Amino acid sequence: MVMRILTNLARFIISIIAASVMVFVVLRLIPGDPAQVVLGIDASPELLEAKRAELGTDRPLIVQYWDWASGLPFGDFGTSHLTQQDISPMVLDKLQVSLILVLLAMLLAVIIAIPFGTFAAMRHNRVSGAMISAISQLGIAIPGFLAGLLLVVVFSLQLGWFPASGWTPPGMDFADFLSRVTLPVVALASVQAAILTRYVRSAVLEVMSEDYLRTARAKGLSPLGALLKHGLRNAAIPVITVTSIQLAALIIGAVVIERVFVIPGLGSMLLDAVGNRDMLTVQSVVMVLVGITLFVNLMVDVLYTVVDPRIRNSARGSRA
Amino acid sequence: MSRARTLTLTVSTLAVATLALTSCTAGSSGGATADPAGTDSITVALTGPPANLDFTTTAGAAIPQALLGNVYEGLVQVNQDGELEPLLAESWSLSDDRTVVTFTLRSGVTFSNGADFTAEDVKFSIDRVKSDAWTSGLKTKMDIVESVNVLSDTEVEVVLSRPSNVWLYDMATRVGAMFDESGVADLANQAIGTGPFTVESWKPNEAIDMAARSDYWGDAPKVSTATLKYFAEATATTNALQSGDVDVIYNMQAPALLSAFEGKPEFQVLNGESTGEIVLSMNNRVAPFDDVRVRQAVMHAIDRQAVMDAAWNGNGTLVGAPVPPSDPYYEDLNGVYPFDPAKAKELLKEAGAEGVSITFTVPTRPYATAISEIVVAQLKDVGIDAKIASAEFPAVWLDEVFTKHDYQMSIILAVEQRDVLTMFNNPDYYIGYDNSKIADAAAAADQADEAGYISGMKEVVRTIVDDAASNTLFLFPNTVVAKAEVTGIPANAVSEGLFLGDIGWN
């Protein structure tokens, strides 16, 4: 088990390094000179040259890469040439916002998906079960940003129940935080809840056909009782997998939702930085996103090893 | 801070729950208690956030828009009619040879860090523009200054290398902003000026919170706090106004969304003017636009009224030349190139450019994408086949079109004040206009007296238009949408700064 975790950890580190090289190179391939963006259309060639020297963009790429990458393990992303502020605290600040958004959305999605998916599985040959399947199909079909726009039109502009945009940190004014976070979280969660519902349904369906569940029923447990006592732990494995994969997708999806609701998260930061060729900021935000995605995958693998005795045993077996 | 937030919440809740807001009367301004109508604060929605707070090293219109007039002040300013007015200078006089400008400064003016504003600060500020500390390209506007001499605490003379009408006007722009020597250590994050507001907090890409100074030398602002909120999308601004999160949308970027506000008693729509020209630029140095007949054909081929109607809901002003009516040398040149497709085809035939294909590089801005489609359709009618190539703005557009001149036709909103000479009196500018016909006239006009300046510049502009150096489609409107009770909004965007001090509540 320890070996397995160590292998995963090594894979994690190699992936991070590879990602940092790729991000760096790709950004250098797109057209646009950061010095020109800073100085604008009035800049003379001499001023531009001086600016490039100041920003260090005239140095060899390998030097620029090392300068940036060597700070990464210490959480030092450098200074934005545009805002002239340290990037790390800004990223941390925006990351909090995005994480709150994403985690709340995932929580909401799971809370919706588990009972509905289980219900749909237990009633899979009834109208009520089919209805839930149809609704979840619809939920998958509507993109998050469209859901967001619709929510704004109905609940903010028509009914006036929620503000249309903006962000208040929960620690500052919790009531205001709730009113502002509700619509974006619902928009983000709607698609995820629909996807998860389908996975929960099929996972539960599969478990229900297993022999051990039939045995449990034969021993006198009710269908739901048998499922709760013996089935859910097994059904949880594929659901955890999907949830974690979706968590990564959700972070990316939040980029768009943040734009719709004018939320100052990583997504907004990323888009603004790309437009301004604020290279260090773009690189750093992308690395944080990549890091989170890889970290989630790492955690899933570890979780697997802990939750599922078969994986744990097979790992032990393969070592023997 | 948190009071302002609570206030915003209260306002939005009230606004959406009832119509009570419209019947609310203004409370005592500057009162200690937060009143529900929010009359002590104002929130203005803008698009295009400033990268930082330092316009001496960073380009763009966003930083001076937020800070000039509010935090930084110059010796002179431009009023809503585009005329020069005294600000930190009470008055000024010109020497007989028009090369020495002597300013008499207002006394009792202090910077927000407590330092007094004196003639030494004027010298420091102007000299600083000429030093390496300023890296913004606009610093060349100060090249003409030979020396700044302090005569007394309130008197300072500026010696110019030659007479210039433009220089005094430039002093009303960002290069004329007055700084305190002890307040320039961290301009990107700390703005210290003589203006009526101080920057309380700045969140990059989000908002700037300003507070009114109690020790301001002039009239106190109408509100004690003002917030500039930045939005990436026009739809988000209109949503925010409708749901009560902002009080004013300044320079609204989506005329199609205006219908949600027009004719509603809760809102007001102001159709102000700006100095921004929508320029359909043709690269004068490359085929087919190196032939004046082809450029003139484009002038006749485009129905500018139809372009403005289709792309921008008819909002804007047709000018026919790259000069807004707020400039002293403006004249209506709309009649020079009437919409005449037959004439356009004839000119193309003469030039041997029938059925020519061009690439039309369009920056990714709402106005540009909206206009490009109809321009392409109209060019097609006379036999010019224009293919749209999208260029990300600003990075790619600046790189390809502006710096490398690698384009045939493009479109851009030229926002700078009095920029006709910037665009056309420089053959190395991206338009590539051969300025040999106007250079002397332009120089003479700048050194002449007021009347000579105006007549000389008119001549320059007419030459540029005759040469069809580029097609000024229309003057960009400054559309403002606000809650009905908001007063004092400067509807005309004719100076660099958006002055917040007059904005208040009815």
Side-chain angles (χ1 to χ4, degrees):
Chain A
M1 184 164 140
V2 174
M3 192 61 201
R4 193 184 158 83
I5 291 173
L6 281 181
T7 317
N8 280 329
L9 203 62
R11 201 181 295 147
F12 172 76
I13 291 168
I14 292 168
S15 307
I16 287 273
I17 294 172
S20 73
V21 174
M22 264 172 61
V23 170
F24 183 86
V25 171
V26 166
L27 273 181
R28 295 308 177 285
L29 290 178
I30 59 171
D33 176 2
Q36 176 90 72
V37 175
V38 174
L39 294 181
I41 60 174
D42 312 296
S44 63
E46 299 79 47
L47 283 175
L48 281 174
E49 216 163 284
K51 195 67 181 185
R52 284 186 201 113
E54 185 195 321
L55 299 179
T57 52
D58 57 345
R59 296 172 305 163
L61 285 184
I62 186 82
V63 176
Q64 291 185 48
Y65 173 76
W66 178 250
D67 207 37
W68 168 67
S70 59
L72 289 183
F74 311 102
D76 175 14
F77 295 142
T79 307
S80 158
H81 70 259
L82 263 184
T83 61
Q84 298 179 30
Q85 295 187 331
D86 283 345
I87 296 170
S88 306
M90 283 204 297
V91 169
L92 212 60
D93 191 46
K94 311 275 179 188
L95 179 63
Q96 283 176 12
V97 173
S98 294
L99 279 185
I100 290 174
L101 202 62
V102 166
L103 291 177
L104 281 179
M106 193 44 101
L107 188 69
L108 182 62
V110 169
I111 288 175
I112 294 170
I114 289 178
F116 277 87
T118 311
F119 183 82
M122 296 181 68
R123 302 284 173 100
H124 68 276
N125 44 16
R126 308 250 191 100
V127 177
S128 53
M131 284 257 294
I132 290 174
S133 294
I135 292 170
S136 64
Q137 189 64 51
L138 192 70
I140 294 170
I142 298 175
F145 76 91
L146 189 62
L149 289 174
L150 289 173
L151 288 171
V152 169
V153 169
V154 175
F155 292 100
S156 232
L157 302 185
Q158 299 294 325
L159 297 171
W161 292 353
F162 297 97
S165 59
W167 180 260
T168 303
M172 186 184 278
D173 181 340
F174 195 71
D176 197 35
F177 162 73
L178 279 185
S179 77
R180 289 182 191 279
V181 86
T182 305
L183 293 187
V185 162
V186 171
L188 264 180
S190 64
V191 183
Q192 298 308 319
I195 294 171
L196 280 183
T197 300
R198 294 175 68 81
Y199 275 97
V200 170
R201 178 180 175 273
S202 62
V204 170
L205 264 182
E206 195 171 310
V207 170
M208 274 165 54
S209 65
E210 296 275 353
D211 288 342
Y212 61 80
L213 215 67
R214 258 197 300 267
T215 315
R217 293 272 330 261
K219 280 159 116 188
L221 283 172
S222 70
L224 187 63
L227 199 61
L228 288 177
K229 199 157 192 257
H230 300 284
L232 275 192
R233 191 177 156 112
N234 288 314
I237 302 275
V239 174
I240 288 175
T241 316
V242 174
T243 306
S244 59
I245 293 170
Q246 287 303 315
L247 198 62
L250 206 54
I251 291 171
I252 308 301
V255 172
V256 180
I257 291 295
E258 283 173 16
R259 209 62 166 182
V260 173
F261 288 95
V262 198
I263 293 169
L266 274 189
S268 298
M269 190 184 189
L270 182 65
L271 288 179
D272 292 323
V274 169
N276 287 315
R277 294 295 182 271
D278 193 350
M279 301 297 196
L280 285 185
T281 305
V282 178
Q283 284 161 216
S284 307
V285 174
V286 171
M287 283 314 294
V288 168
L289 293 177
V290 169
I292 291 173
T293 311
L294 291 173
F295 182 75
V296 168
N297 284 339
L298 179 72
M299 285 298 108
V300 172
D301 269 351
V302 172
L303 217 65
Y304 261 20
T305 323
V306 176
V307 169
D308 194 332
R310 285 170 297 188
I311 296 172
R312 200 160 60 208
N313 292 338
S314 78
R316 193 180 291 150
S318 69
R319 205 178 49 179
Chain B
M1 271 297 292
S2 78
R3 199 191 68 173
R5 303 238 174 223
T6 320
L7 210 77
T8 320
L9 176 69
T10 320
V11 172
S12 55
T13 317
L14 269 184
V16 293
T18 68
L19 279 175
L21 199 74
T22 46
S23 56
C24 273
T25 47
S28 61
S29 64
T33 51
D35 58 348
T39 55
D40 208 26
S41 67
I42 194 94
T43 304
V44 179
L46 294 168
T47 41
N52 55 61
L53 301 181
D54 184 6
F55 55 69
T56 74
T57 58
T58 309
I63 311 175
Q65 180 185 49
L67 300 184
L68 212 58
N70 297 317
V71 175
Y72 295 112
E73 293 180 315
L75 301 180
V76 291
Q77 67 177 352
V78 172
N79 68 16
Q80 279 284 289
D81 299 321
E83 293 154 355
L84 269 186
E85 277 183 350
L87 189 58
L88 290 178
E90 265 173 354
S91 62
W92 62 89
S93 62
L94 269 175
S95 65
D96 288 343
D97 68 349
R98 304 171 51 85
T99 57
V100 181
V101 191
T102 309
F103 294 97
T104 306
L105 307 179
R106 224 173 265 284
S107 50
V109 175
T110 57
F111 287 95
S112 60
N113 62 359
D116 287 327
F117 167 73
T118 66
E120 289 292 345
D121 297 307
V122 178
K123 181 173 171 53
F124 168 75
S125 300
I126 294 178
D127 286 347
R128 194 166 181 276
V129 179
K130 293 168 73 74
S131 77
D132 288 342
W134 270 70
T135 61
S136 158
L138 292 169
K139 65 184 291 177
T140 53
K141 291 180 188 292
M142 282 295 180
D143 286 355
I144 188 174
V145 174
E146 282 201 331
S147 64
V148 184
N149 306 314
V150 173
L151 305 179
S152 73
D153 263 6
T154 55
E155 273 195 310
V156 61
E157 64 171 32
V158 180
V159 181
L160 307 178
S161 57
R162 58 173 173 79
S164 171
N165 290 296
V166 173
W167 179 77
L168 194 59
Y169 185 89
D170 287 340
M171 285 299 285
T173 67
R174 67 188 89 172
V175 292
M178 291 296 133
F179 294 86
D180 173 49
E181 191 161 2
S182 62
V184 293
D186 184 18
L187 287 177
N189 296 296
Q190 280 277 328
I192 292 164
T194 58
F197 288 97
T198 54
V199 173
E200 287 303 288
S201 74
W202 164 58
K203 289 170 234 96
N205 293 319
E206 286 177 56
I208 298 178
D209 291 314
M210 298 200 203
R213 283 175 63 188
S214 56
D215 56 345
Y216 179 58
W217 62 268
D219 294 336
K222 301 282 190 293
V223 290
S224 54
T225 59
T227 301
L228 299 177
K229 254 191 174 168
Y230 293 93
F231 293 83
E233 254 81 49
T235 318
T237 64
T238 54
N239 288 345
L241 180 60
Q242 281 175 293
S243 67
D245 269 355
V246 302
D247 307 311
V248 179
I249 303 173
Y250 198 74
N251 199 349
M252 212 254 227
Q253 294 289 317
L257 299 173
L258 275 179
S259 56
F261 304 99
E262 279 165 335
K264 296 226 174 114
E266 315 93 281
F267 300 107
Q268 54 179 321
V269 177
L270 306 174
N271 285 306
E273 261 181 14
S274 80
T275 57
E277 306 104 10
I278 303 268
V279 177
L280 182 68
S281 42
M282 298 171 263
N283 192 339
N284 284 215
R285 276 178 299 204
V286 303
F289 299 117
D290 52 354
D291 187 324
V292 65
R293 290 168 297 188
V294 179
R295 300 199 300 269
Q296 286 171 335
V298 170
M299 304 297 272
H300 284 298
I302 306 257
D303 182 354
R304 298 195 297 276
Q305 180 72 52
V307 170
M308 195 169 84
D309 288 348
W312 221 245
N313 251 14
N315 296 315
T317 313
L318 295 177
V319 280
V323 179
S326 52
D327 282 359
Y329 44 85
Y330 168 79
E331 64 180 320
D332 186 349
L333 295 176
N334 278 305
V336 179
Y337 296 101
F339 174 54
D340 188 347
K343 175 92 180 152
K345 282 184 195 162
E346 201 178 298
L347 282 162
L348 285 174
K349 194 174 178 183
E350 259 180 63
E354 293 162 294
V356 68
S357 291
I358 59 157
T359 305
F360 183 11
T361 308
V362 179
T364 51
R365 301 266 83 190
Y367 67 83
T369 40
I371 292 166
S372 61
E373 297 288 345
I374 177 160
V375 165
V376 166
Q378 296 191 351
L379 290 178
K380 196 182 166 93
D381 287 344
V382 300
I384 297 177
D385 178 23
K387 284 193 181 56
I388 291 179
S390 185
E392 186 198 350
F393 189 88
V396 175
W397 188 88
L398 275 179
D399 189 49
E400 286 179 4
V401 177
F402 191 82
T403 308
K404 297 189 179 133
H405 305 175
D406 181 15
Y407 81 107
Q408 286 178 298
M409 179 181 270
S410 188
I411 189 169
I412 201 74
L413 172 60
V415 290
E416 263 180 37
Q417 286 82 37
R418 301 204 186 178
D419 50 8
V420 59
L421 294 181
T422 314
M423 292 195 281
F424 300 101
N425 196 20
N426 175 7
D428 294 330
Y429 202 69
Y430 82 104
I431 291 170
Y433 175 62
D434 171 12
N435 70 339
S436 50
K437 274 194 254 175
I438 62 160
D440 292 342
D446 190 26
Q447 302 187 33
D449 58 11
E450 185 74 18
Y453 175 57
I454 290 171
S455 64
M457 283 303 293
K458 279 186 176 168
E459 187 196 325
V460 165
V461 173
R462 273 188 233 122
T463 310
I464 293 168
V465 171
D466 285 344
D467 282 345
S470 64
N471 192 341
T472 310
L473 295 177
F474 60 93
L475 198 67
F476 203 59
N478 188 53
T479 308
V480 181
V481 192
K483 290 179 182 165
E485 307 85 354
V486 180
T487 59
I489 304 167
N492 293 338
V494 291
S495 61
E496 286 192 305
L498 160 57
F499 186 57
L500 300 167
D502 289 339
I503 304 180
W505 293 88
N506 197 352

